Amino acid sequence: VNKAAIPFNLSLDPEAFDSVPGSKHMLRYLSDVESIFSDKQTVAEILAQDDPLIYEYWEIPNESSSSALSFGLTRILPGTVGQEYHMTRGHFHTIEEDGDELYFVLQGRGVILLQTRESENRALEMTTGSLCYVPAGWGHRSVNCGAADLVFVSIWPLTVGHDYEVVEQGGFPQLVVRGSDGPMVIGNPNFLDYKAIIGSRSLSK
Ligand SMILES: [Fe+2]
């Protein structure tokens, strides 16, 4: 028996996550994630006056054993930058250290955008009390398109590695924007797929 693996329980709220030894609390302001929004002019206008919080998360890396699960709590604040709703940076898991991930929505309304390295994509609704299963190989980003906070728990194997760079450069194939009748998922004209990014990476070496 691994002595470090001690059973515990936890309330699903920020204060409880803060109280866990080794937990990390990360804040992402607009200036941290400005590159993920398409409307660069609006980004510049907002940043000239203010630097609003877009999302924050608490992460509990669990290194008690090789089969341990890490987990986190994310809160995306409501709002838009231009027509685009607030969202997380998004990432792929690395090919070498890939793994599945489970999302459980505690509060709010949103969309999880998903893409594979082979250019398949999905946009799935996130609603209070619902669960999203993200299989290995699917890059993922969460978007809050509701009027209140979008809060969810995510759970992933300790061994998963994170690649933010591909998404940083290529974005997601879909954008979630405010339409006249509410949120709309539209194509991203500036999207570059995984192969385009990785290809340009190896060319630059
Ligand atoms: Fe992930």
Side-chain angles (χ1 to χ4, degrees):
V1 174
N2 184 337
K3 284 182 186 165
I6 297 162
F8 63 95
N9 61 357
L10 187 66
S11 297
L12 296 177
D13 63 66
E15 292 73 25
F17 273 62
D18 272 334
S19 74
V20 176
S23 74
K24 298 182 207 163
H25 179 199
M26 261 82 63
L27 297 152
R28 293 290 175 257
Y29 293 91
L30 180 57
S31 61
D32 299 316
V33 293
E34 58 178 297
S35 65
I36 66 178
F37 294 102
S38 340
D39 185 345
K40 304 301 178 198
Q41 191 184 330
T42 299
V43 167
E45 283 166 15
I46 296 172
L47 287 178
Q49 318 218 347
D50 194 13
D51 191 8
L53 182 64
I54 306 297
Y55 66 96
E56 61 182 331
Y57 61 102
W58 291 260
E59 185 179 320
I60 300 187
N62 184 353
E63 294 170 1
S64 57
S65 78
S66 61
S67 58
L69 300 172
S70 292
F71 57 97
L73 182 71
T74 302
R75 175 172 88 104
I76 309 178
L77 283 79
T80 54
V81 174
Q83 295 305 308
E84 211 172 356
Y85 289 98
H86 287 178
M87 57 188 166
T88 59
R89 284 171 75 191
H91 57 252
F92 277 90
H93 298 159
T94 59
I95 291 179
E96 305 76 24
E97 299 170 306
D98 208 344
D100 296 6
E101 187 162 350
L102 192 61
Y103 280 65
F104 180 67
V105 184
L106 299 178
Q107 181 195 318
R109 176 174 165 235
V111 170
I112 183 165
L113 296 176
L114 301 142
Q115 61 168 315
T116 66
R117 298 182 180 92
E118 291 76 36
S119 295
E120 262 196 89
N121 66 79
R122 298 279 191 287
L124 302 179
E125 253 189 286
M126 300 175 85
T127 53
T128 302
S130 74
L131 185 139
C132 299
Y133 196 92
V134 180
W138 288 81
H140 38 283
R141 158 179 286 169
S142 311
V143 186
N144 181 357
C145 48
D149 288 350
L150 175 65
V151 184
F152 55 87
V153 170
S154 47
I155 305 161
W156 63 94
L158 162 73
T159 47
V160 159
H162 293 91
D163 183 345
Y164 288 92
E165 206 183 317
V166 167
V167 165
E168 187 82 33
Q169 292 181 41
F172 274 74
Q174 293 168 311
L175 307 175
V176 188
V177 298
R178 192 197 298 275
S180 50
D181 294 325
M184 290 192 316
V185 177
I186 62 169
N188 175 6
N190 300 314
F191 173 64
L192 291 174
D193 71 13
Y194 190 88
K195 283 170 193 145
I197 302 296
I198 296 302
S200 70
R201 254 190 211 168
S202 49
L203 281 175
S204 66
K205 272 177 192 164

PDB file of all heavy atoms in Angstrom, residues 91 93 101 103 140 162, ligand 1:
ATOM      1  N   HIS A  91      -6.019  23.115 -24.767  1.00  0.00           N
ATOM      2  CA  HIS A  91      -4.779  22.373 -25.005  1.00  0.00           C
ATOM      3  C   HIS A  91      -5.063  21.006 -25.599  1.00  0.00           C
ATOM      4  O   HIS A  91      -6.188  20.514 -25.532  1.00  0.00           O
ATOM      5  CB  HIS A  91      -3.989  22.213 -23.694  1.00  0.00           C
ATOM      6  CG  HIS A  91      -4.756  21.528 -22.598  1.00  0.00           C
ATOM      7  ND1 HIS A  91      -5.229  22.192 -21.500  1.00  0.00           N
ATOM      8  CD2 HIS A  91      -5.131  20.235 -22.437  1.00  0.00           C
ATOM      9  CE1 HIS A  91      -5.864  21.340 -20.708  1.00  0.00           C
ATOM     10  NE2 HIS A  91      -5.825  20.150 -21.260  1.00  0.00           N
ATOM     11  N   HIS A  93      -3.452  17.115 -25.041  1.00  0.00           N
ATOM     12  CA  HIS A  93      -2.503  16.360 -24.232  1.00  0.00           C
ATOM     13  C   HIS A  93      -1.388  15.960 -25.188  1.00  0.00           C
ATOM     14  O   HIS A  93      -1.616  15.822 -26.383  1.00  0.00           O
ATOM     15  CB  HIS A  93      -3.174  15.145 -23.595  1.00  0.00           C
ATOM     16  CG  HIS A  93      -4.284  15.528 -22.648  1.00  0.00           C
ATOM     17  ND1 HIS A  93      -5.286  14.677 -22.281  1.00  0.00           N
ATOM     18  CD2 HIS A  93      -4.530  16.713 -22.021  1.00  0.00           C
ATOM     19  CE1 HIS A  93      -6.102  15.304 -21.445  1.00  0.00           C
ATOM     20  NE2 HIS A  93      -5.676  16.549 -21.283  1.00  0.00           N
ATOM     21  N   GLU A 101      -9.997  12.525 -20.270  1.00  0.00           N
ATOM     22  CA  GLU A 101     -10.326  13.508 -19.239  1.00  0.00           C
ATOM     23  C   GLU A 101     -11.843  13.590 -19.103  1.00  0.00           C
ATOM     24  O   GLU A 101     -12.567  13.464 -20.091  1.00  0.00           O
ATOM     25  CB  GLU A 101      -9.741  14.877 -19.625  1.00  0.00           C
ATOM     26  CG  GLU A 101      -9.891  15.921 -18.549  1.00  0.00           C
ATOM     27  CD  GLU A 101      -8.942  17.118 -18.740  1.00  0.00           C
ATOM     28  OE1 GLU A 101      -8.037  17.049 -19.606  1.00  0.00           O
ATOM     29  OE2 GLU A 101      -9.121  18.099 -18.026  1.00  0.00           O
ATOM     30  N   TYR A 103     -15.105  15.827 -17.575  1.00  0.00           N
ATOM     31  CA  TYR A 103     -15.575  17.133 -17.105  1.00  0.00           C
ATOM     32  C   TYR A 103     -16.951  16.962 -16.481  1.00  0.00           C
ATOM     33  O   TYR A 103     -17.809  16.316 -17.053  1.00  0.00           O
ATOM     34  CB  TYR A 103     -15.717  18.107 -18.289  1.00  0.00           C
ATOM     35  CG  TYR A 103     -14.423  18.733 -18.737  1.00  0.00           C
ATOM     36  CD1 TYR A 103     -13.414  17.957 -19.290  1.00  0.00           C
ATOM     37  CD2 TYR A 103     -14.222  20.104 -18.624  1.00  0.00           C
ATOM     38  CE1 TYR A 103     -12.233  18.530 -19.709  1.00  0.00           C
ATOM     39  CE2 TYR A 103     -13.049  20.686 -19.044  1.00  0.00           C
ATOM     40  CZ  TYR A 103     -12.060  19.894 -19.586  1.00  0.00           C
ATOM     41  OH  TYR A 103     -10.889  20.470 -20.005  1.00  0.00           O
ATOM     42  N   HIS A 140      -8.985  20.281 -26.286  1.00  0.00           N
ATOM     43  CA  HIS A 140     -10.231  20.776 -25.698  1.00  0.00           C
ATOM     44  C   HIS A 140     -10.089  22.183 -25.137  1.00  0.00           C
ATOM     45  O   HIS A 140      -9.036  22.562 -24.641  1.00  0.00           O
ATOM     46  CB  HIS A 140     -10.743  19.815 -24.616  1.00  0.00           C
ATOM     47  CG  HIS A 140      -9.661  19.204 -23.776  1.00  0.00           C
ATOM     48  ND1 HIS A 140      -8.872  18.167 -24.235  1.00  0.00           N
ATOM     49  CD2 HIS A 140      -9.204  19.486 -22.537  1.00  0.00           C
ATOM     50  CE1 HIS A 140      -7.996  17.836 -23.298  1.00  0.00           C
ATOM     51  NE2 HIS A 140      -8.161  18.629 -22.257  1.00  0.00           N
ATOM     52  N   HIS A 162       0.681  18.298 -21.081  1.00  0.00           N
ATOM     53  CA  HIS A 162      -0.163  19.335 -21.691  1.00  0.00           C
ATOM     54  C   HIS A 162       0.590  20.105 -22.770  1.00  0.00           C
ATOM     55  O   HIS A 162       1.689  20.586 -22.536  1.00  0.00           O
ATOM     56  CB  HIS A 162      -0.671  20.294 -20.611  1.00  0.00           C
ATOM     57  CG  HIS A 162      -1.624  19.635 -19.662  1.00  0.00           C
ATOM     58  ND1 HIS A 162      -1.219  19.026 -18.494  1.00  0.00           N
ATOM     59  CD2 HIS A 162      -2.954  19.442 -19.734  1.00  0.00           C
ATOM     60  CE1 HIS A 162      -2.269  18.497 -17.883  1.00  0.00           C
ATOM     61  NE2 HIS A 162      -3.341  18.748 -18.620  1.00  0.00           N
TER      62      HIS A 162
HETATM   63 FE    FE B   1      -6.827  18.411 -20.575  1.00  0.00          FE
END
